[in-house]
């Protein structure tokens, strides 16, 4: 059986989005809202508590290799979360 690892975006990138309310790669405005769906947050990979947690939507391009095809897309992160504390709770998959 093959193995793979799930990894969220960095807390540093999330902090930049939270402070600027802009996509760090494109400069597009980010949008803050009360969670209407359950997620997941792209930092800690936990789902959102619908109607309870605030989340930020922004455009993100996960591939940095200059030869990769640009694949920007919408992602959500927790608006006011220290997601790095949650990463250790994911456990093995």
């Amino acid at each position: 059986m093959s193995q793979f690892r799930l990894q969220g975006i960095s807390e540093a990138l999330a902090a930049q989005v939270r402070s600027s309310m802009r996509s760090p790669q494109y400069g597009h405005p980010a949008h803050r809202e009360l969670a209407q769906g359950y997620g997941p947050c792209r930092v800690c990979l936990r789902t959102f508590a619908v109607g309870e947690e605030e989340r930020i939507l922004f455009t993100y391009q996960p591939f940095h290799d200059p030869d990769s095809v640009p694949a920007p897309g919408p992602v959500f992160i927790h608006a006011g979360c220290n997601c790095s504390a949650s990463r250790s709770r994911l456990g093995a998959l």
Side-chain angles (χ1 to χ4, degrees):
M1 173 183 354
S2 63
Q3 294 183 3
F4 63 96
R5 182 176 74 152
L6 300 176
Q7 179 176 334
I9 62 174
S10 74
E11 183 63 44
L13 187 134
Q16 182 181 356
V17 172
R18 289 181 186 118
S19 67
S20 69
M21 288 303 291
R22 296 215 166 265
S23 166
Q25 299 158 317
Y26 297 96
H28 301 155
H31 174 74
R32 186 175 179 146
E33 66 179 19
L34 194 60
Q36 302 297 310
Y38 52 85
C41 170
R42 294 301 177 100
V43 178
C44 66
L45 306 177
R46 289 186 306 114
T47 57
F48 294 97
V50 177
E52 296 176 24
E53 293 181 300
E54 286 196 316
R55 62 188 184 177
I56 298 173
L57 169 68
F58 67 99
T59 304
Y60 179 65
Q61 158 64 314
F63 305 108
H64 303 291
D65 185 335
D67 294 330
S68 67
V69 175
V75 297
F76 289 101
I77 61 171
H78 283 99
C81 174
N82 180 4
C83 292
S84 59
S86 301
R87 287 180 189 231
S88 62
R89 291 185 287 193
L90 282 176
L93 297 175

